Amino acid sequence: MTNPFLQLYKILELEKTRHYHNDAVLGGFESFASQWHPSALAIAATPAQKAWVEKTATKLAAYPQLSPSARPQAIQQLITSLSQLNTSAAPAAPRVVAPRPRPQPRPTPPPAATGLNAPLTTLHGIGPRLAKTLARLNLRQIDDLLWHLPVRYLDYSRLQTISQLRQGEQVTIRATVWGLKSRRTRNNRTLTTAVLTDATGTINATFWNPYIQRSLRPEHAYFFSGKVGITLGKRVLESPEFEPISDDPTHTARIVPIYPLTEGLSARVLRKHIRAVVETWAPRLPDPLPPEMRQRLGYPPLGDALRQVHFPDTAASLEQARKRLAFDELLIIQLGVLSQHRAWQQLPAQPLLLDDGALDDFLHILPFQLTAAQQRVLADIRRDIRRPYPMTRLLQGDVGSGKTVIAAAAMWAAVGNGAQAAIMAPTEILAEQHTRKLQDLFAQLLHPRKNWPLRLDLLTSSVTGQQRQAVLDALASGNTDILIGTHALIQENVHFHNLALIVVDEQHRFGVRQRTALRDKGASLNTAGTNTPHTLVMSATPIPRTLALTIYGDMDVSAIDELPPGRQPIKTYWIKADARTRVYQFIRDQIKAGRQAFIIYPLVDESEHLENVKAAIAEHKRLQSKVFPRLKVGLLHGRLAGKEKDAIMRAFADGEYHILVSTAVVEVGIDIPNASVMLIENADRFGLAQLHQFRGRVGRGSHASYCILVSNPKSDEANERMRAMENSTDGFELAEIDLRMRGPGEFFGTRQSGLPDLRLAQLSDARLLEAARREAETLLDHDPDLTQPPHQLLGQRTAEFWSQKNELS
């Protein structure tokens, strides 16, 4: 059993290295305090130690409520008091000693206890030179080899006779070497030909290895596995794998694993060492899955699954083993995100009651009726915010589906309960747009308690000096009802009088780590009280259900999956590059009718490595000088400073530019109701979700709007994406197609680089992911901290995963 005092020391040190985000332990310090307290109290030897444990448990539970600036001092005080406890303790008292630095970077541990951590040089046949080569694959200790999984397999399991062999097949034969002959080729290489025979015929096998005769001996029988080729009209096995006949071969006559390699490392050598490690260590691995769960789900033990993934007996056993290991990974993800969700529910929040009368007052000022989807989502939010713990909900929906008005209703609930609300946008220009819309909306209502107009303020980095101080003062005094801003509104010098609701807009990259930080900081934002604000995250990028269960697994999810009636659908056309001239004339006609247009390019500057891929800067110059010389063409790209980008977007919104040439930075942008054309060059360079976001930049006014995709795709997948865009305007349908075609990493784009590094699990595997979520919910219902003996190893694995830096953590 781990010494609780040593455990505490390690967690405090880890919290320092992770920059005081309250994520050194699963569920945060408040969860850890509840499980650490009884175990520490049980071994405390003196009354002074027992008093220290009580005091420390209280401090640990209060740690998440501290402001970020106060946390370093609190952690250091705990470490110091822990050290003082040791020096004053009785001899029998537990003693915590900080580990001393050792001269070796990785000392060899005792083989029986921690052999998996031993360096590879402790294995027979691996010396310093081979170990250095393996290190290029990040293989440094025994467990690295154990978890270096195959990327694919060659099925050599079906034995054939020589007479059955056909050109182009991957085959295995059992044959005797009749003779060997070597000769020098024109380029001075040695080609060795072996004549192989069985009862049905003969075939030649060729090898370019000059030392092959040391391993291959005449009149001996071997398994040979490889591809059948043709040389001078005769069948030949080209550099086949071979090994002596045995009941359990490694390189032939079975389903053979193919591993990632590096220069100087042969597949045969790596496979041999991995097999030795698997046979020795896989049966000894402790299994984190509780036996009851594993048997109920029909999964093999961990050791058997790992052995079958490396060296499968059959295709069916390989599939079952991969499913078991993938389930483990998804279960750990679900345990983590669900624990985060439950941690939210342990915090206090101000209940916000939005009765029918107050809701009717709000709905009465809207110039439209809510759709059925909006009504459903609003009911979810009303139910959440009336509870005494904080809401944490994701609201997703297509551009124009009416997310902001639902968020405004939640803000109205906060104001009606004498509290404040805030909305956080990713850019200043979006924050300004929200300010204008919300001011127009709430101008028709009076504060239900004060009976005067609501006060809305804007806070961004551009708000400075006396104006900024006036906003901060109004915020702290409670005069401000709703604050709109960027991330500046959760900075340390910003204090609310009573913040009860935070809305985060357009942030599908606002990960679990950021949401946890917002949760921990929430109470400290208020000048009085310890309530944590309710949180509503809005995303205009429809997210497939499987990703919503992982990236947003710590949140409840609502979707507005229908558009308001009367909204004109955007007409989408896919054209080839040679039709571009006609599109330019169409844009001129639209501008003549008073409209505006976007033209999107995948690159900022031209690249010599990407032929026929157009770039914004060069194309802007060409379009302005040669194609649209009488029109004003603006240029927007990611290398511009934030204020420059905002200024250009404002100018376009104000009609100063007829056309805006841009890169993908326009994906999340402001409303331009007058824009009616979205032209996307090299459209096959973008994913479906991103193309759909571009399309959503137009069609926001009363005019017919068009999205034109210019693309000459070179792959079937790119053709499928273009057809999907032409045939569907449903963002949820397109998101599912995009995930299936490109995987989760590409779905979020290159900017989303922190998705978890999973060995076997696919985040798109809906059935397995939902099974893992069900099991995680059941586990946490019965053992919230995973401290019961059957669950302790699973809890440890979960904590290790969540200590890594990825988008989920």
Side-chain angles (χ1 to χ4, degrees):
M1 180 178 176
T2 303
N3 183 313
F5 292 83
L6 180 58
Q7 181 189 30
L8 175 61
Y9 173 82
K10 291 180 177 179
I11 287 173
L12 293 174
E13 288 292 335
L14 180 60
E15 180 69 3
K16 288 171 62 177
T17 64
R18 292 178 66 81
H19 306 296
Y20 311 99
H21 290 306
N22 188 31
D23 58 2
V25 63
L26 182 65
F29 272 68
E30 65 272 43
S31 175
F32 171 70
S34 64
Q35 56 180 293
W36 177 84
H37 175 247
S39 58
L41 205 58
I43 68 167
T46 68
Q49 289 178 23
K50 292 181 185 294
W52 183 88
V53 168
E54 296 287 355
K55 186 177 180 181
T56 299
T58 302
K59 290 181 178 179
L60 291 172
Y63 176 75
Q65 306 299 330
L66 298 177
S67 67
S69 61
R71 289 183 179 181
Q73 183 181 0
I75 292 293
Q76 190 56 51
Q77 286 175 349
L78 285 170
I79 293 173
T80 302
S81 67
L82 181 57
S83 174
Q84 292 171 347
L85 174 74
N86 288 326
T87 58
S88 62
R95 181 171 180 80
V96 180
V97 180
R100 295 180 180 178
R102 301 189 180 187
Q104 303 88 357
R106 189 187 293 279
T108 303
T114 55
L116 284 172
N117 296 324
L120 294 180
T121 49
T122 61
L123 296 175
H124 177 71
I126 298 184
R129 180 178 297 178
L130 179 55
K132 186 176 180 180
T133 301
L134 291 168
R136 293 204 295 268
L137 293 170
N138 290 321
L139 304 176
R140 295 181 172 85
Q141 55 190 43
I142 291 175
D143 67 337
D144 294 334
L145 274 186
L146 197 60
W147 290 100
H148 189 65
L149 302 183
V151 292
R152 59 187 179 92
Y153 301 85
L154 292 175
D155 190 353
Y156 290 146
S157 59
R158 189 170 70 90
L159 278 174
Q160 296 175 261
T161 62
I162 290 176
S163 64
Q164 294 174 320
L165 303 187
R166 299 291 181 267
Q167 179 185 1
E169 293 180 337
Q170 295 281 358
V171 301
T172 296
I173 61 172
R174 176 176 178 154
T176 300
V177 179
W178 185 261
L180 291 165
K181 182 173 64 177
S182 297
R183 65 181 179 86
R184 290 280 183 178
T185 62
R186 291 181 180 179
N187 56 4
N188 203 31
R189 296 180 65 193
T190 299
L191 176 65
T192 300
T193 301
V195 180
L196 312 180
T197 182
D198 69 5
T200 67
T202 61
I203 188 173
N204 287 346
T206 57
F207 302 89
W208 292 101
N209 181 352
Y211 308 107
I212 198 71
Q213 296 191 41
R214 296 180 183 178
S215 310
L216 204 58
R217 298 183 179 181
E219 301 182 8
H220 284 67
Y222 300 87
F223 287 126
F224 294 88
S225 295
K227 188 175 182 179
V228 180
I230 296 291
T231 299
L232 299 177
K234 293 184 178 182
R235 296 172 304 168
V236 62
L237 284 175
E238 301 165 338
S239 299
E241 289 279 2
F242 65 91
E243 60 187 323
I245 301 298
S246 73
D247 293 333
D248 191 15
T250 298
H251 310 288
T252 61
R254 66 171 308 126
I255 299 175
V256 177
I258 305 299
Y259 297 98
L261 297 173
T262 187
E263 185 179 355
L265 179 65
S266 74
R268 195 179 185 92
V269 167
L270 180 59
R271 194 180 298 126
K272 178 186 73 172
H273 287 298
I274 289 179
R275 177 141 202 200
V277 167
V278 168
E279 295 296 337
T280 301
W281 286 100
R284 301 164 63 182
L285 288 176
D287 196 331
L289 278 196
E292 180 277 328
M293 180 193 296
R294 178 171 54 78
Q295 292 164 11
R296 176 165 43 80
L297 296 174
Y299 289 143
L302 176 61
D304 291 352
L306 202 52
R307 186 172 59 82
Q308 289 297 320
V309 161
H310 281 287
F311 297 95
D313 294 330
T314 65
S317 66
L318 169 60
E319 178 59 28
Q320 188 67 358
R322 290 176 64 91
K323 189 175 180 181
R324 154 69 210 261
L325 297 181
F327 176 83
D328 285 13
E329 293 182 304
L330 296 177
L331 177 63
I332 283 172
I333 288 176
Q334 290 306 310
L335 285 170
V337 294
L338 288 172
S339 293
Q340 293 283 0
H341 186 270
R342 292 174 186 228
W344 271 98
Q345 296 178 343
Q346 300 304 311
L347 299 175
Q350 178 180 349
L352 303 177
L353 303 180
L354 181 60
D355 61 37
D356 292 343
L359 178 59
D360 287 343
D361 289 342
F362 177 82
L363 296 178
H364 183 71
I365 67 171
L366 301 179
F368 51 82
Q369 287 191 330
L370 297 183
T371 64
Q374 286 175 308
Q375 293 177 35
R376 183 182 67 244
V377 171
L378 182 55
D380 291 341
I381 293 172
R382 288 179 73 188
R383 184 177 61 251
D384 284 355
I385 61 177
R386 70 186 304 158
R387 294 167 176 162
Y389 54 82
M391 170 182 72
T392 167
R393 183 168 289 275
L394 167 68
L395 172 56
Q396 54 174 333
D398 260 338
V399 172
S401 61
K403 298 182 298 295
T404 304
V405 73
I406 300 303
M411 295 181 210
W412 175 242
V415 172
N417 283 266
Q420 296 166 299
I423 180 167
M424 186 164 62
T427 65
E428 289 196 10
I429 195 165
L430 268 177
E432 292 171 1
Q433 176 178 289
H434 278 309
T435 302
R436 289 192 295 270
K437 284 189 172 181
L438 292 174
Q439 283 176 336
D440 291 344
L441 181 65
F442 286 116
Q444 305 170 64
L445 291 168
L446 294 178
H447 196 293
R449 294 195 176 193
K450 303 174 184 177
N451 203 32
W452 61 53
L454 275 64
R455 174 168 175 173
L456 283 70
D457 282 319
L458 174 67
L459 185 65
T460 67
S461 59
S462 297
V463 179
T464 58
Q466 293 182 348
Q467 183 184 3
R468 181 181 183 84
Q469 190 58 50
V471 170
L472 295 177
D473 291 344
L475 203 59
S477 66
N479 289 332
T480 297
D481 299 303
I482 297 173
L483 181 68
I484 305 100
T486 57
H487 280 75
L489 64 78
I490 57 170
Q491 291 175 350
E492 288 192 33
N493 62 340
V494 179
H495 297 286
F496 292 77
H497 179 70
N498 182 18
L499 177 64
L501 173 71
I502 294 179
V503 179
V504 183
D505 183 31
E506 298 276 19
Q507 285 292 296
H508 64 256
R509 298 178 186 90
F510 192 71
V512 176
R513 181 185 297 275
Q514 290 86 354
R515 293 195 294 277
T516 301
L518 187 60
R519 178 196 73 193
D520 294 340
K521 184 178 174 58
S524 67
L525 291 171
N526 290 318
T527 55
T530 59
N531 285 333
T532 296
H534 300 280
T535 302
L536 179 66
V537 176
M538 300 194 300
S539 173
T541 300
I543 299 169
R545 173 167 170 75
T546 53
L547 288 190
L549 289 176
T550 49
I551 306 300
Y552 289 102
D554 61 320
M555 309 187 78
D556 297 306
V557 179
S558 294
I560 301 178
D561 49 11
E562 63 177 309
L563 293 177
R567 179 165 172 159
Q568 294 190 49
I570 302 168
K571 299 175 183 178
T572 303
Y573 302 97
W574 169 28
I575 67 168
K576 299 299 177 67
D578 55 11
R580 189 181 287 114
T581 303
R582 285 187 293 138
V583 177
Y584 289 158
Q585 184 55 50
F586 178 72
I587 290 175
R588 291 189 192 95
D589 294 342
Q590 285 288 301
I591 292 172
K592 189 176 180 180
R595 308 284 82 77
Q596 292 168 282
F598 291 95
I599 303 180
I600 307 297
Y601 293 95
L603 301 178
V604 177
D605 284 316
E606 293 176 322
S607 170
E608 59 184 28
H609 304 293
L610 297 173
E611 187 178 356
N612 297 324
V613 179
K614 296 186 175 296
I617 292 177
E619 286 298 297
H620 170 260
K621 184 177 181 180
R622 181 183 70 86
L623 292 170
Q624 181 66 89
S625 61
K626 298 182 179 179
V627 181
F628 304 111
R630 297 183 179 180
L631 302 177
K632 292 183 178 179
V633 182
L635 174 63
L636 182 70
H637 56 77
R639 293 184 191 170
L640 298 173
K643 290 185 178 180
E644 289 181 277
K645 286 188 282 190
D646 285 348
I648 292 168
M649 285 300 295
R650 285 192 193 92
F652 187 53
D654 292 341
E656 296 177 26
Y657 294 116
H658 300 100
I659 299 169
L660 183 63
V661 171
S662 178
T663 58
V665 295
V666 81
E667 175 189 355
V668 176
I670 64 170
D671 285 348
I672 311 290
N674 195 46
S676 64
V677 181
M678 170 62 68
L679 171 62
I680 306 172
E681 292 279 1
N682 298 110
D684 55 292
R685 304 282 302 180
F686 300 102
L688 277 175
Q690 201 169 23
L691 289 171
H692 185 63
Q693 285 297 301
F694 292 148
R695 178 164 59 186
R697 295 302 104 203
V698 298
R700 297 188 168 210
S702 58
H703 317 291
S705 294
Y706 308 87
C707 178
I708 302 167
L709 311 170
V710 181
S711 174
N712 291 26
K714 297 180 180 179
S715 69
D716 292 340
E717 182 184 293
N719 274 291
E720 186 179 350
R721 287 206 304 277
M722 298 303 103
R723 284 194 295 270
M725 279 292 293
E726 271 196 310
N727 296 333
S728 177
T729 57
D730 184 336
F732 290 94
E733 178 185 357
L734 293 173
E736 293 287 355
I737 295 172
D738 204 22
L739 177 63
R740 172 178 56 81
M741 293 175 64
R742 304 201 305 160
E746 288 299 317
F747 174 86
F748 281 110
T750 55
R751 288 170 291 179
Q752 185 82 4
S753 59
L755 287 165
D757 184 14
L758 302 177
R759 295 184 176 106
L760 286 174
Q762 298 290 327
L763 294 182
S764 55
D765 190 337
R767 182 174 298 177
L768 194 61
L769 181 57
E770 290 178 357
R773 190 171 181 90
R774 286 194 301 270
E775 294 297 333
E777 287 173 338
T778 302
L779 267 176
L780 293 174
D781 284 343
H782 292 90
D783 185 9
D785 300 318
L786 300 179
T787 55
Q788 295 177 12
H791 308 148
Q792 287 177 355
L793 184 57
L794 183 58
Q796 178 185 333
R797 295 284 190 271
T798 304
E800 289 171 355
F801 173 86
W802 281 75
S803 68
Q804 303 167 25
K805 187 175 182 180
N806 56 57
E807 183 59 27
L808 296 184
S809 64

